[in-house]
Amino acid sequence: MYPGHIPFGPSVGSNGDLDGGAYGGDVSMSQFIFTDTNEFRKAVTAGNYETDVKTFTGGRALALQSIEPTLLRTIQEDKHFVFFNKLTATNAGSTVDEFTIKTAIGGYPGSTFNSEMGDIADTQGTYSRQVGLVKFLMTKREVSVVQQSQKTLVDTIAEEKVDAARELKTSVEWASFFGDSTVNPLEFDGLFAIINTTNDSDLIKDARGKGLSYVAQEVIDLAAAVAGQGRYGTITDVFCSLAVKAAEFDQKLDPAFRTGGGNQKVGTPVDGVKTSNGEVAINQDVFIQEAEMPFAARPAPFPAITTGSAAPVAPTIAGVAGANAASKFTSEHAGNYYWAVEAISKAGRSPLALSAQVVTASGDRVVVTVTHGADNANVATGFAIYRSRKNGTNAPADFRLVARVARAAGATTVYNDDNQNVPGTSPVFLVNMSPGAQAVQLRRLLPMTMFPLYPTSKASRPWAQLLFCYLRVAKTKHIAMVKNVLPGNASWKPF
Amino acid sequence: MSNTANVGGRRVFCLLPTADTLISGIRFAVLADGRKLSEPIEDPEMVARMTSVPGYELVPESIDPDILDDADEAIERAKSASLEAGRPGSGPQSIDAVRALEEQRTSNVAMADELAATRAKLEAAERKLLATEVPKLTLQVETLTRQLTEAGGAPVALETEITRLRSVNEAIGKELADTKTSLTTITTERDTLMGNLSSARDIIATRDRTITEQEGKLTDLAANLTAANSMIDDLKSQLATATKATPAKTSTAAK
């Protein structure tokens, strides 16, 4: 050391030991004390949290980057496809999948009694041929050769393959509940559309924007209706949103109605509900949601879809209230409302269009008239109609989905809002999933398949992943629904 | 300008906090106290609708005319601004007109469809009739009738043909009885086979689900394996760097 030198740390000897002794030797802390501020400034420091590597200088430039070697994912995994995983998959042989159902054996209870020589009544079973249409789910992925050559956290192609598989499963899971071929002919019909089309009042209960009974009355009643004469089915599973599972089953259902026994209390997760027609498993499904907001109000990437290349032109919307006998607007619901609309095309949504405020009284029907926007390359096939809270604002985040409707011929599409569908609520589906019953199945023309595509003039590896299938509900009498369920923990309340 | 509450129609207050200045086609002015005061509403049904909703009130006759004047001025300004901005389709009259037009159009289309469907049915029925044996048989009957009338009775050849056909009929009847017996046997066998098939389908369905689950797991495992391989590569690289940096033991021993 030269005179006046003020060390900035323990010096290191030629053998690598700390100066002042061998390993275990004492190191004086006085060596770390700086008395000359100029020397202090010359100290090699770790920098000031710079993140732009090009600007790294001093000690920051010497530091190795601290990168977590695994990819941290917040995405849907296989366990989230609850309905898909429970569905029995069978193979269809053609895009038009035919099946025959028998709905009656003939006669009625007591129809066979006869006198000794009386004419014997002629009767027979009821048979009908049904048709299901296979729909085509496809996604394209592409990874450049440069990307494949790089050292990456994960194998990019493998990762993209998994993502593509999950994208297909996500579409199947969502469409199994909410697909509607009248709104988008490329979709298959899901449980909601099928139950509404069948429109059997015994198989639909309406919670009217309230919660479920604490004694599982809805589940028990619908299970009994499905088991009754003329249907002869068994409800095995309930599918509901996470919020309904938490607030309406786990935190509400009387333990006396829960399966599993043991020391169950209100708040214990509910596995199933006991009914006279068997135990019904309660499944929560992340793809059933109350909070279906307009795309403009959702987090990325949704808003960009409304302005992207696949977006149709925005329509306009107006609402006019008038008394109607079919109305389910009661005095509790009377107030000011806004309506909003998005046009739906094959792969996009239009920007959101808002109506003026409409005063709605008890017994009113609001005739919502959507005037179609000019057609561009992305022709609208349907519309998503949203409604605000009672006396709410017209901010996009204050709307929730009321219905998806097919586009009518002509310049306008009219939707009559009788308050039959309550925004901000979710349906609870009850399904016969017994494998032997074959009530609800996934019919596949093509199982999930990777189909290589060919790069024409690019250094990349493109491919498509395909799944051709549809949800076959052969026994429409074996599915039921409680609609308009508002979980007690909902932060957005429609009224 | 002097004014009274109900000249040209009834006025209402809207006390709802998020009320707009245009509600169901009726303009409202915002008063200093935050309440909203409507323009005169000519449609009594609209007045009834609004006053049936909690948060709306009829304006009393005793209201200060200056308030009404101020409100009317604000409403006129808003109307002018709206005309300039052009908000098509938001007024009740234009909405009614659009709706009436659309209803008429829908009705016309439905009637045209019905007419086209009826025409198609008629044409199909005519085609079907022509394609059947009816015209041919009618001609045959006419010929036979003419023959019988001319010959004065059924020809001998025809009686012989009837006898032959009767014997053929008996033979077919016997064959039919045999076929029925054989059909009963086949039906029993078929029921047994259907039972077996149903069991086999259940087994296949269970296997299918297992395969789907295994496919999913396999995909996850592949992703994990890739991540692990990447980590191993990193570790190998770090090991190589560390090995290079460490002085060789042999040279220390030589010293």
Side-chain angles (χ1 to χ4, degrees), chain A residues 78 85 88-89 151-153 155 162 166 318 320-323 335-336 338 357-359 361 364 367 391-392 409 411-412, chain B residues 14 16 18-20 22-24 49-50 52-53 56 89 95 98-99 102 105 202 205 208-209 216 219-220 226 230-231 234:
Chain A
D78 283 326
N85 291 339
T88 305
K151 200 171 171 187
T152 51
L153 292 177
D155 180 331
V162 174
R166 287 176 179 166
V320 178
N336 290 336
Y338 291 98
Q357 204 168 38
V358 180
V359 61
D364 270 355
V367 179
N391 302 326
T412 60
Chain B
C14 182
L16 296 167
T18 56
D20 213 334
L22 178 66
I23 305 173
S24 292
R49 169 168 292 109
M50 285 186 164
S52 75
V53 173
Y56 282 89
I95 289 162
V98 165
R99 199 168 63 219
E102 185 53 28
R105 190 176 290 156
D202 288 351
D208 269 357
R209 276 186 57 190
T219 316
D220 283 347
T226 310
S230 172
M231 283 173 70
D234 282 347

Side-chain angles (χ1 to χ4, degrees), chain A residues 194-205 222 225 231 476-477 479-481:
Chain A
I194 293 168
I195 293 170
N196 278 326
T197 304
T198 307
N199 198 23
D200 184 339
S201 59
D202 288 348
L203 302 182
I204 302 175
K205 279 190 171 283
L222 288 172
R231 299 189 187 94
T476 52
K477 296 174 177 181
I479 55 174
M481 168 172 76

Side-chain angles (χ1 to χ4, degrees), chain A residues 324-467:
Chain A
N324 192 287
S327 173
K328 290 201 171 182
F329 278 106
T330 64
S331 55
E332 182 191 356
H333 310 134
N336 290 336
Y337 293 90
Y338 291 98
W339 276 261
V341 64
E342 277 170 352
I344 301 170
S345 71
K346 179 186 159 195
R349 293 281 179 109
S350 75
L352 191 68
L354 307 176
S355 79
Q357 204 168 38
V358 180
V359 61
T360 309
S362 173
D364 270 355
R365 158 185 283 182
V366 177
V367 179
V368 178
T369 304
V370 176
T371 304
H372 307 162
D375 281 338
N376 60 6
N378 311 302
V379 176
T381 56
F383 300 96
I385 311 269
Y386 298 90
R387 195 170 86 200
S388 70
R389 279 179 300 127
K390 181 178 87 169
N391 302 326
T393 70
N394 63 357
D398 212 2
F399 284 95
R400 296 291 182 274
L401 187 70
V402 180
R404 294 197 312 148
V405 294
R407 173 186 176 142
T412 60
T413 296
V414 173
Y415 172 70
N416 293 323
D417 193 345
D418 296 324
N419 203 23
Q420 303 278 357
N421 292 336
V422 179
T425 62
S426 66
V428 172
F429 298 105
L430 293 91
V431 188
N432 180 1
M433 300 286 278
S434 317
Q438 300 182 55
V440 180
Q441 290 182 316
L442 187 74
R443 295 280 290 174
R444 295 181 308 198
L445 179 62
L446 180 74
M448 206 173 287
T449 303
M450 203 184 110
F451 182 80
L453 300 172
Y454 298 96
T456 48
S457 57
K458 287 190 287 186
S460 68
R461 185 181 164 192
W463 75 94
Q465 274 172 252
L466 315 172
L467 174 62

Side-chain angles (χ1 to χ4, degrees), chain B:
Chain B
M1 177 168 84
S2 67
N3 207 339
T4 57
N6 298 314
V7 172
R10 301 299 305 260
R11 291 177 189 262
V12 295
F13 280 127
C14 182
L15 315 175
L16 296 167
T18 56
D20 213 334
T21 51
L22 178 66
I23 305 173
S24 292
I26 308 295
R27 294 265 169 207
F28 284 74
V30 185
L31 304 182
D33 58 6
R35 290 182 301 172
K36 292 183 177 73
L37 175 62
S38 78
E39 62 185 335
I41 307 168
E42 290 172 18
D43 179 4
E45 277 184 23
M46 181 60 80
V47 176
R49 169 168 292 109
M50 285 186 164
T51 50
S52 75
V53 173
Y56 282 89
E57 284 174 6
L58 264 182
V59 173
E61 288 288 346
S62 57
I63 190 169
D64 181 352
D66 288 345
I67 293 178
L68 296 179
D69 286 343
D70 290 348
D72 284 346
E73 275 178 31
I75 287 167
E76 283 307 315
R77 276 199 304 276
K79 275 183 181 172
S80 308
S82 173
L83 277 175
E84 279 170 23
R87 297 174 69 174
S90 60
Q93 286 172 341
S94 64
I95 289 162
D96 285 347
V98 165
R99 199 168 63 219
L101 181 66
E102 185 53 28
E103 278 170 6
Q104 192 60 49
R105 190 176 290 156
T106 311
S107 165
N108 283 347
V109 168
M111 280 195 289
D113 285 352
E114 209 174 325
L115 189 64
T118 312
R119 273 188 187 148
K121 270 183 196 168
L122 190 64
E123 281 168 9
E126 281 172 359
R127 271 200 306 275
K128 215 170 176 183
L129 186 66
L130 287 173
T132 58
E133 294 290 312
V134 174
K136 208 189 289 176
L137 285 172
T138 311
L139 192 66
Q140 218 169 343
V141 167
E142 279 172 8
T143 313
L144 281 170
T145 311
R146 206 168 42 246
Q147 278 177 3
L148 283 170
T149 314
E150 285 166 7
V156 176
L158 194 60
E159 281 176 5
T160 313
E161 182 64 11
I162 289 168
T163 312
R164 192 187 67 79
L165 285 174
R166 275 191 184 139
S167 67
V168 169
N169 200 16
E170 274 171 24
I172 289 171
K174 193 166 174 296
E175 205 175 332
L176 185 67
D178 291 347
T179 310
K180 272 183 183 165
T181 314
S182 137
L183 185 65
T184 311
T185 317
I186 290 167
T187 306
T188 315
E189 282 173 8
R190 188 203 62 182
D191 288 346
T192 313
L193 286 170
M194 285 298 279
N196 293 345
L197 186 62
S198 176
S199 310
R201 275 187 180 147
D202 288 351
I203 293 167
I204 290 166
T206 313
R207 294 271 163 85
D208 269 357
R209 276 186 57 190
T210 313
I211 289 167
T212 308
E213 283 165 15
Q214 293 299 332
E215 279 173 352
K217 283 179 185 166
L218 199 59
T219 316
D220 283 347
L221 282 172
N224 291 342
L225 187 62
T226 310
N229 279 337
S230 172
M231 283 173 70
I232 289 166
D233 287 346
D234 282 347
L235 287 169
K236 275 181 183 168
S237 162
Q238 284 175 24
L239 186 63
T241 312
T243 310
K244 258 186 218 169
T246 308
K249 277 186 182 174
T250 47
S251 62
T252 311
K255 275 180 189 175

